[in-house]
Amino acid sequence: MKRGSYWLGFILGFLYILDSITQVSASIHEYRKEAFIRQSNAFFFHGGSEGLYASKSRDSSAAAPDDNPSKGKSSIRFENVLFVRTKESSDKQNEMQSKTGLVEAIILEVKDREKIGGAFIKSDVICCTPELSHNGSCNVGEVIIQKDPDNPEGPKRIQTFFEGTNQEAKMMAQFVEINSTGMYYLYFMYCDPQLQGTTIRGRTVWRNPGGYLPGKMVPLMTFYGVVSLAYLALGLVWFLRFVQLWKDIIQLHYHITAVIALGMCETALWYFEYANLNATGSRPMGITLWAVTISAVKKTLSRLLLLVVSMGYGVVKPTLGGVTSRVLLLGLIYFIASEALELVEHLGNINDFSGKAKIYLVLPVAFLDAWFILWIFSSLSKTLEKLQMRRSMAKLELYRKFTNSLAVFVLLSIAWIGYELYFNASDPLSELWQISWVIPAFWTLLAFFLLVVICVLWAPSSNPTRYAYPGEAGEDFDEEAISLAVGVKVTGATDPVTGLREGLEEDKRE
């Protein structure tokens, strides 16, 4: 029962993501009849949060007449924001009154969060009460904000009033310039209980000095550009070696070539996706979906490549035999889970997807990764044992190097997972947003260097018998193993050549 409900949640989460794809665009936070949540004596709606860099100072005398005045400025822009209260609430008001309800937009830097509410006057309330108003600390019906004389640009308040019995109140178009680098939060709040049931529509556009790309994603654009060039360099070196020794190419080399090509396409697409997002303020859905899909395909094929190499495919056995269907099934399930998680991660940076939706998708991927690791090392153990029995010393040495390298990468992965958990637990409010890009960047680099290791160990060679399966290298049996066995004759023992041939036939049956 629990397993069924778990997978139902996973499927519903995936469908939710697919439904949300058309709603996402850059640093534009859309509000579609969103409801307010009660907290203490206030009602609030989280309008978004992003890391923003301070505006760049510009010389107005040197600016061209046709220059965009917002160029080089960091800002939050309010567009067509509309508050709608219930009919019951509007009917209670006096038609002649000019102000019959107040909604406030509060913009604050995360370090100023203690200045919102009555904490500084030793009170748990968020909205001003008559008692606090008598002390001159605040105005009744407004959110309490502690003013700092040394920082007049602290938490900013923008007020919008309902008039008479109108059900709607439209917020005036606002352009709020950001002059201090930090993680900024936007909340819409009201204090009047009679406004309960009010909803919000519209959008806000967040911009950094260099464009619309959110602050924590800015370094990733440069990173993906550099890594795509690294994949290009690796691809050129591999291609030249591939062409030079094309007569000695084995099936495994084609698989490695595919992973290099996918890595190059993946990082290049993410670079162009970020560059377009930064320039236009909207996400090109075509590029985004291609980038997400190719990323999921590349991750899947990379893990399958490690698995089939560990099984000795093309080295110890010519085919995977009966396990082929299981390997392909695992790959298909991993692709679906990875695709869903990629969508959540890359859309969640903008629209603040809930943690629950992400948990449903992180757990299957983590479980499948663990399954891959166990299967890979189990297969490596069997392959090493088989090579040792056959006394294929060159291949044995190759696989020992591969096993040691893979063990190092797995240990690095475990250590980084621990650091990532610590990082997220110690920074719940994203105060370290300027270095958070290092978390995803590490996994991209780790995958790249692991691919480099495989390219070095299984590079095309003029002597393919060094690691190729005998039949694939054009030989009938393992000459190296025979050379080690020649001259050793035991009465009643099986002929070494016959024994080896029987072993090869066994591998083919597998």
Side-chain angles (χ1 to χ4, degrees):
M1 183 68 180
K2 287 184 178 179
R3 184 178 296 178
S5 60
Y6 178 85
W7 283 107
L8 177 62
F10 172 74
I11 293 168
L12 290 175
F14 184 67
L15 292 174
Y16 167 73
I17 295 162
L18 293 178
D19 179 61
S20 304
I21 289 174
T22 57
Q23 305 174 10
V24 178
S25 55
S27 294
I28 300 173
H29 295 256
E30 299 275 358
Y31 316 127
R32 294 178 174 83
K33 296 186 70 173
E34 311 286 352
F36 287 70
I37 300 171
R38 182 161 197 153
Q39 180 71 34
S40 184
N41 64 337
F43 297 82
F44 79 96
F45 169 73
H46 181 210
S49 56
E50 285 186 21
L52 295 173
Y53 292 95
S55 298
K56 295 179 180 177
S57 58
R58 298 183 67 201
D59 185 359
S60 57
S61 61
D66 57 344
D67 268 1
N68 185 347
S70 64
K71 186 177 181 181
K73 289 185 178 181
S74 187
S75 63
I76 301 173
R77 192 169 70 247
F78 295 80
E79 296 183 352
N80 303 317
V81 176
L82 186 70
F83 304 103
V84 182
R85 60 182 171 183
T86 63
K87 191 173 187 309
E88 292 79 4
S89 176
S90 63
D91 289 342
K92 294 177 182 178
Q93 308 304 323
N94 187 337
E95 189 174 359
M96 303 304 294
Q97 281 186 291
S98 59
K99 298 178 181 179
T100 57
L102 169 64
V103 181
E104 298 179 289
I106 310 292
I107 302 172
L108 70 147
E109 196 177 344
V110 68
K111 67 181 182 180
D112 295 329
R113 60 187 179 276
E114 298 296 332
K115 296 179 181 179
I116 302 296
F120 70 99
I121 50 177
K122 297 181 180 179
S123 174
D124 295 331
V125 298
I126 297 175
C127 293
C128 187
T129 61
E131 294 78 13
L132 294 174
S133 177
H134 289 319
N135 299 333
S137 304
C138 54
N139 298 321
V140 176
E142 294 183 358
V143 175
I144 303 171
I145 297 180
Q146 180 187 7
K147 289 298 180 182
D148 185 357
D150 299 328
N151 182 24
E153 294 187 359
K156 184 175 180 62
R157 182 201 315 261
I158 303 173
Q159 296 183 329
T160 303
F161 290 94
F162 286 93
E163 296 183 358
T165 58
N166 291 342
Q167 277 189 257
E168 298 181 350
K170 187 172 183 179
M171 185 178 181
M172 292 183 62
Q174 297 278 346
F175 179 89
V176 180
E177 185 174 348
I178 304 298
N179 295 308
S180 175
T181 298
M183 172 60 69
Y184 284 84
Y185 281 74
L186 168 64
Y187 291 100
F188 294 95
M189 307 178 75
Y190 63 83
C191 300
D192 188 355
Q194 291 187 359
L195 291 178
Q196 189 166 0
T198 298
T199 58
I200 178 174
R201 298 203 302 261
R203 69 178 191 173
T204 53
V205 181
W206 304 53
R207 180 185 170 89
N208 268 294
Y212 293 98
L213 203 61
K216 63 181 178 181
M217 296 167 69
V218 170
L220 285 173
M221 182 173 71
T222 305
F223 171 77
Y224 281 123
V226 172
V227 176
S228 66
L229 293 177
Y231 268 107
L232 179 61
L234 177 63
L236 287 174
V237 173
W238 180 264
F239 180 73
L240 290 174
R241 190 73 175 169
F242 193 96
V243 171
Q244 183 182 4
L245 300 167
W246 67 273
K247 289 183 179 180
D248 300 312
I249 295 301
I250 62 174
Q251 192 68 31
L252 190 62
H253 291 142
Y254 292 101
H255 295 203
I256 296 173
T257 303
V259 174
I260 294 174
L262 284 169
M264 196 187 311
C265 292
E266 176 200 15
T267 50
L269 279 171
W270 280 124
Y271 172 79
F272 287 117
E273 199 265 355
Y274 281 12
N276 188 288
L277 186 154
N278 190 51
T280 65
S282 61
R283 231 175 179 139
M285 280 299 105
I287 296 179
T288 303
L289 288 176
W290 271 108
V292 166
T293 302
I294 288 179
S295 180
V297 170
K298 182 237 177 184
K299 285 182 177 180
T300 303
L301 289 185
S302 297
R303 282 155 179 76
L304 291 177
L305 176 63
L306 288 174
L307 183 57
V308 298
V309 166
S310 301
M311 288 179 171
Y313 173 68
V315 179
V316 176
K317 57 178 74 174
T319 66
L320 296 179
V323 298
T324 303
S325 57
R326 281 187 288 164
V327 170
L328 293 177
L329 179 61
L330 180 61
L332 177 62
I333 296 173
Y334 187 87
F335 168 75
I336 295 172
S338 180
E339 175 89 354
L341 182 59
E342 287 282 330
L343 285 171
V344 165
E345 286 184 338
H346 292 94
L347 302 184
N349 282 334
I350 307 300
N351 276 348
D352 305 315
F353 278 95
S354 68
K356 285 185 179 179
K358 192 170 180 179
I359 286 174
Y360 272 115
L361 300 166
V362 167
L363 291 178
V365 175
F367 173 77
L368 292 169
D369 273 328
W371 189 285
F372 265 114
I373 291 172
L374 290 173
W375 200 353
I376 285 170
F377 278 98
S378 174
S379 299
L380 274 174
S381 176
K382 292 178 182 178
T383 301
L384 288 168
E385 184 180 353
K386 190 171 288 187
L387 289 173
Q388 199 160 10
M389 287 176 61
R390 293 182 183 176
R391 302 189 182 280
S392 300
M393 303 311 294
K395 295 176 185 178
L396 183 62
E397 182 63 23
L398 175 72
Y399 266 86
R400 278 177 176 165
K401 289 179 180 178
F402 175 64
T403 303
N404 292 337
S405 301
L406 195 58
V408 170
F409 281 99
V410 169
L411 290 175
L412 285 173
S413 299
I414 294 171
W416 192 254
I417 289 172
Y419 173 74
E420 189 173 345
L421 291 172
Y422 166 77
F423 184 90
N424 292 328
S426 61
D427 186 38
L429 298 175
S430 299
E431 294 179 85
L432 301 176
W433 59 275
Q434 288 176 283
I435 61 171
S436 63
W437 67 275
V438 175
I439 300 294
F442 174 84
W443 296 113
T444 302
L445 287 177
L446 193 71
F448 174 76
F449 285 117
L450 182 55
L451 183 58
V452 170
V453 168
I454 292 176
C455 289
V456 171
L457 293 177
W458 273 272
S461 170
S462 56
N463 180 25
T465 57
R466 179 169 65 97
Y467 49 62
Y469 181 75
E472 196 170 356
E475 302 290 337
D476 291 331
F477 43 79
D478 196 330
E479 293 180 354
E480 181 191 5
I482 294 173
S483 65
L484 290 170
V486 166
V488 180
K489 188 170 183 180
V490 181
T491 304
T494 306
D495 178 67
V497 176
T498 304
L500 269 168
R501 281 177 174 155
E502 288 175 355
L504 298 180
E505 288 301 320
E506 180 187 349
D507 289 336
K508 290 178 181 178
R509 287 194 297 273
E510 290 179 7

